[in-house]
């Protein structure tokens, strides 16, 4: 593997390695040694770019939240009306923007870690705010908060292999929820 050309490239490589380690071993198994090994760098190089494993985990979860938030918002911005916004929500629940297996595993780890870490909890709060803001492009805030919770719940159920409502059943629920 060619060496990264800039400090930012190296930080990005470390963050990617941290996410991969979290996927394979969970937050509890995300050690500096495992992350540096996965990134193909020495532990000293790792500590040059990040002082602590917590700092690396914060960056890894911030990247996840940023990537999903941007895609989430773009999908909702593409909707021209409430009917299209409902289809966008269905895509978020049934598609890969939020519910990609990698995103779901990282999200579960994020939520568990956030319950014990204030900085990580703030990443979650910001992510939730960004989701509600995107949904608020088409729905009032109470409906946006409700739909956000539905997205979270249904994507978790889908990931865990629970019986899911069909897209048509979900559409009917969202239409009832958003009708005046």
């Amino acid at each position: 593997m060619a060496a990264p050309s800039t400090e930012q490239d190296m930080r990005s490589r470390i963050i990617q390695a941290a996410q991969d380690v979290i996927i394979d071993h969970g937050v509890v198994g995300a050690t500096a040694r495992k992350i540096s090994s996965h990134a193909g760098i020495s532990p000293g190089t790792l500590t040059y770019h990040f002082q602590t494993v917590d700092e690396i985990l914060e960056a890894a979860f911030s990247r996840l939240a940023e990537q999903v938030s941007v895609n989430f918002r773009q999908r909702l911005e593409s909707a021209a009306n409430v009917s299209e916004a409902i289809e966008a929500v269905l895509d978020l629940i049934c598609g890969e923007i939020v519910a990609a297996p990698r995103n779901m595993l990282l999200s579960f780890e994020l939520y568990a870690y956030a319950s014990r870490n204030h900085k990580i909890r703030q990443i979650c709060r910001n992510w939730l705010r960004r989701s509600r803001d995107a949904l608020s492009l088409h729905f009032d805030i109470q409906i946006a908060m409700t739909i956000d919770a539905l997205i979270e719940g249904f994507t978790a159920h889908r990931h865990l292999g629970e019986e899911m409502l069909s897209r048509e059943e979900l559409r009917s629920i969202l239409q009832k929820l958003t009708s005046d």
Side-chain angles (χ1 to χ4, degrees), residues 86-87 89-91 93-94 154 164-177:
I86 288 172
E87 292 306 313
V89 169
L90 293 169
D91 288 347
I93 293 170
C94 301
F154 280 123
M164 272 290 290
L165 297 173
S166 70
R167 187 177 177 107
E168 292 74 28
E169 291 166 323
L170 289 170
R171 181 182 295 109
S172 176
I173 291 167
L174 290 167
Q175 288 169 337
K176 288 174 188 173
L177 181 65

Side-chain angles (χ1 to χ4, degrees), residues 23-24 35 42 50-51 59 62 69 94 116 144 164 174:
I23 292 291
D24 293 341
I35 295 168
S42 71
F50 293 94
Q51 292 182 0
S62 291
S69 291
C94 301
R116 293 177 178 82
M164 272 290 290
L174 290 167

Side-chain angles (χ1 to χ4, degrees), residues 128-140:
L128 289 171
R129 181 187 44 74
R130 290 177 74 177
S131 296
R132 286 190 309 264
D133 289 349
L135 288 161
S136 292
L137 296 171
H138 301 284
F139 309 106
D140 72 48

Side-chain angles (χ1 to χ4, degrees), residues 11 26 47 58 78 89 94 101 132 144 148 153 161 173:
R11 285 180 64 85
T47 58
E58 187 178 336
S78 72
V89 169
C94 301
R132 286 190 309 264
D148 194 31
I173 291 167

Side-chain angles (χ1 to χ4, degrees), residues 51-71:
Q51 292 182 0
T52 66
V53 172
D54 282 343
E55 190 180 314
I56 298 168
L57 295 174
E58 187 178 336
F61 287 129
S62 291
R63 177 181 285 177
L64 169 69
E66 176 65 22
Q67 289 170 334
V68 174
S69 291
V70 165
N71 291 332

Side-chain angles (χ1 to χ4, degrees), residues 7-112:
E7 183 169 331
Q8 191 58 39
D9 290 341
M10 180 58 77
R11 285 180 64 85
S12 183
R13 180 172 161 186
I14 292 167
I15 292 167
Q16 181 65 45
Q19 287 183 337
D20 293 344
V21 169
I22 292 166
I23 292 291
D24 293 341
H25 304 283
V27 167
V28 71
T31 64
R33 186 171 305 281
K34 284 180 185 169
I35 295 168
S36 62
S37 175
H38 194 81
I41 60 173
S42 71
T45 300
L46 182 81
T47 58
Y48 175 80
H49 294 281
F50 293 94
Q51 292 182 0
T52 66
V53 172
D54 282 343
E55 190 180 314
I56 298 168
L57 295 174
E58 187 178 336
F61 287 129
S62 291
R63 177 181 285 177
L64 169 69
E66 176 65 22
Q67 289 170 334
V68 174
S69 291
V70 165
N71 291 332
F72 190 107
R73 184 165 188 98
Q74 285 175 343
R75 181 60 189 97
L76 283 157
E77 284 177 339
S78 72
N81 55 48
V82 171
S83 292
E84 288 182 14
I86 288 172
E87 292 306 313
V89 169
L90 293 169
D91 288 347
L92 294 168
I93 293 170
C94 301
E96 297 294 309
I97 293 171
V98 175
R102 178 180 178 84
N103 290 347
M104 294 305 300
L105 284 171
L106 286 170
S107 295
F108 292 152
E109 289 291 329
L110 167 65
Y111 298 150

